[in-house]
Amino acid sequence: DAGVIQSPRHEVTEMGQEVTLRCKPISGHDYLFWYRQTMMRGLELLIYFNNNVPIDDSGMPEDRFSAKMPNASFSTLKIQPSEPRDSAVYFCASRVVSEAFFGQGTRLTVV
Amino acid sequence: AQSVTQLDSHVSVSEGTPVLLRCNYSSSYSPSLFWYVQHPNKGLQLLLKYTSAATLVKGINGFEAEFKKSETSFHLTKPSAHMSDAAEYFCVVSANNNNDMRFGAGTRLTVKP
């Protein structure tokens, strides 16, 4: 297995634009997590899914953020409209039993 | 709810000397505990995990951690630091009943030659 795959690796966008981050979890993993990492706040859990169902989205900062998992092999995190303070590295992780595997992250810069 | 506190934001050691990265946790339920390492501009890699089996856990690259319930601690240690150990280390707690993972703020380890 290639591990958790995130795309794009880097994204630069203008304020107000819609941004979509993508994640392909490891096959067979039943949990999927989205995290955001910034210097100021460290790693924050945004939302996680179990068997494609959102379980806890209390970490999603505001309504501009939304996440979906239409099937077991794909998830998206969308920001609309984007703002400069959304600039961060966004990580996706998938998990089975007790161990989570992380993707390489998407570095988002909103200018 | 669960949380972790990493007591040091930055630790600096000399190559060949021991490493101690401290972590205290809070959990309402029997926790699972993890240490992850993040090298610059890289993703996170699991070093080791505790999931209610042996309290002394051995991980990759010579790291180990001991779960101490009475102290609510899960400190990470290594007998002898290598230059390649320089990275950011995250302590993570997950309550067995709800499976989400909460990260500490991280400890940056610097290894001096």
Side-chain angles (χ1 to χ4, degrees):
Chain A
D1 202 313
V4 176
I5 299 173
Q6 291 185 246
S7 64
R9 291 292 308 277
H10 302 273
E11 176 81 37
V12 180
T13 190
E14 290 186 347
M15 182 174 62
Q17 296 298 307
E18 177 180 295
V19 175
T20 299
L21 311 181
R22 297 173 176 78
C23 175
K24 182 180 187 308
I26 294 173
S27 177
H29 285 195
D30 53 358
Y31 283 86
L32 184 139
F33 304 82
W34 282 101
Y35 288 88
R36 177 172 67 176
Q37 185 178 38
T38 61
M39 290 292 291
M40 292 298 294
R41 301 172 69 91
L43 268 157
E44 303 173 277
L45 176 65
L46 299 177
I47 184 172
Y48 76 95
F49 297 82
N50 178 217
N51 293 323
N52 314 336
V53 176
I55 303 301
D56 183 353
D57 65 354
S58 59
M60 297 285 263
E62 45 196 282
D63 292 344
R64 297 185 297 107
F65 285 70
S66 62
K68 294 182 180 179
M69 192 166 186
N71 56 61
S73 59
F74 185 65
S75 177
T76 59
L77 178 68
K78 185 178 293 186
I79 309 172
Q80 166 63 20
S82 58
E83 296 181 4
R85 60 195 170 113
D86 301 331
S87 298
V89 180
Y90 291 81
F91 286 101
C92 174
S94 70
R95 172 174 172 171
V96 63
V97 191
S98 60
E99 182 171 346
F101 294 82
F102 284 77
Q104 293 293 299
T106 295
R107 182 175 295 277
L108 173 65
T109 303
V110 183
V111 298
Chain B
Q2 61 271 6
S3 65
V4 290
T5 301
Q6 291 185 242
L7 299 166
D8 307 293
S9 60
H10 185 209
V11 170
S12 181
V13 301
S14 296
E15 190 175 21
T17 64
V19 176
L20 170 64
L21 306 183
R22 298 182 294 166
C23 172
N24 286 100
Y25 70 91
S26 173
S27 179
S28 303
Y29 303 93
S30 297
S32 294
L33 292 155
F34 310 79
W35 276 98
Y36 280 83
V37 61
Q38 185 180 29
H39 291 276
N41 300 313
K42 299 286 187 183
L44 292 106
Q45 180 184 21
L46 180 67
L47 276 179
L48 50 80
K49 61 183 178 183
Y50 165 78
T51 55
S52 73
T55 56
L56 182 61
V57 181
K58 294 186 184 298
I60 61 172
N61 300 336
F63 284 95
E64 62 181 39
E66 185 171 7
F67 173 71
K68 292 186 176 180
K69 186 175 181 179
S70 61
E71 299 176 10
T72 61
S73 69
F74 190 59
H75 302 332
L76 181 70
T77 60
K78 182 173 181 177
S80 176
H82 295 163
M83 296 298 292
S84 60
D85 294 328
E88 188 92 15
Y89 291 80
F90 294 94
C91 183
V92 184
V93 64
S94 174
N96 286 336
N97 72 326
N98 66 6
N99 290 301
D100 73 313
M101 298 170 66
R102 302 289 170 165
F103 281 71
T107 298
R108 180 169 299 278
L109 176 65
T110 300
V111 182
K112 297 175 291 186

